[in-house]
Amino acid sequence: MRKFVVRFAACAALVLGVAALAAQTHAGKAAPGQIVIVFKDGHRQTFNLADVARLEFSGTGGVPISEVAPTPPGALPRGHFLGKWEVGDGSGGTFYITLDENGSAWRSLHRVHGHWAYVNGEARVTWDDGAMDAIRRIDGKDQKFAYRAGKTFTSEPDNVTDAHNTSPRPI
């Protein structure tokens, strides 16, 4: 009887150990259609992307950097937007917007830094001064849409001008 109890206890410990290891291995890993947030204290939380409308990050004035939505069919790839763009200022002059691979952006007008994201087939730039610009392809032509601080990318733009990539790269 004693051998039976010892064997039973050893088997139970083995089964529980394997189950705990399996649970630990799969905990926090995202399945397709999920996002996992890892907090500073190490705990994780998983969300279904179907339940997420957009992701917002502090320091952007509540403006979404990335919206969770599929890229529209026929949209230009992200690489199309990399480089130095000559754009209009809305008053007849021009300035430059530079979009880097790492998401940083630079505007020659008032020498302002910002961050950009590829969202729904367009480049969306949020500047450190609160203004925003979007570079979009409309009817086969690149255009810059300007928004003053306090507006959103879905607001009526303050001006729309032509945009020309002066340093296009192969995609």
Side-chain angles (χ1 to χ4, degrees):
M1 179 69 168
R2 185 174 189 193
K3 285 183 182 181
F4 174 75
V5 171
V6 169
R7 285 184 184 159
F8 180 75
C11 286
L14 180 64
V15 169
L16 290 175
V18 169
L21 179 62
Q24 200 174 44
T25 302
H26 295 294
K29 284 195 176 180
Q34 293 183 328
I35 186 171
V36 176
I37 306 296
V38 180
F39 295 87
K40 289 182 180 181
D41 66 0
H43 83 277
R44 300 167 179 255
Q45 190 166 353
T46 303
F47 299 93
N48 290 321
L49 289 177
D51 297 332
V52 178
R54 67 177 180 244
L55 301 175
E56 294 183 3
F57 300 89
S58 64
T60 65
V63 177
I65 290 179
S66 177
E67 293 186 11
V68 180
T71 301
L76 296 168
R78 183 181 185 274
H80 173 78
F81 298 101
L82 298 175
K84 186 174 184 177
W85 290 81
E86 182 178 25
V87 299
D89 65 3
S91 300
T94 61
F95 65 96
Y96 293 94
I97 295 174
T98 303
L99 305 178
D100 293 327
E101 176 71 39
N102 65 3
S104 67
W106 177 256
R107 184 179 74 200
S108 65
L109 183 67
H110 306 299
R111 302 177 53 103
V112 178
H113 180 264
H115 293 86
W116 78 280
Y118 176 71
V119 179
N120 297 331
E122 64 187 31
R124 292 185 177 182
V125 187
T126 302
W127 302 107
D128 290 349
D129 65 3
M132 299 181 304
D133 289 314
I135 299 176
R136 300 178 176 133
R137 171 72 54 103
I138 306 293
D139 296 326
K141 190 173 163 185
D142 292 318
Q143 295 182 316
K144 188 260 313 171
F145 292 71
Y147 303 90
R148 71 176 178 269
K151 285 192 166 187
T152 68
F153 287 109
T154 56
S155 300
E156 184 72 26
D158 294 310
N159 68 68
V160 178
T161 65
D162 288 341
H164 172 72
N165 193 334
T166 64
S167 58
R169 304 180 198 180
I171 300 170

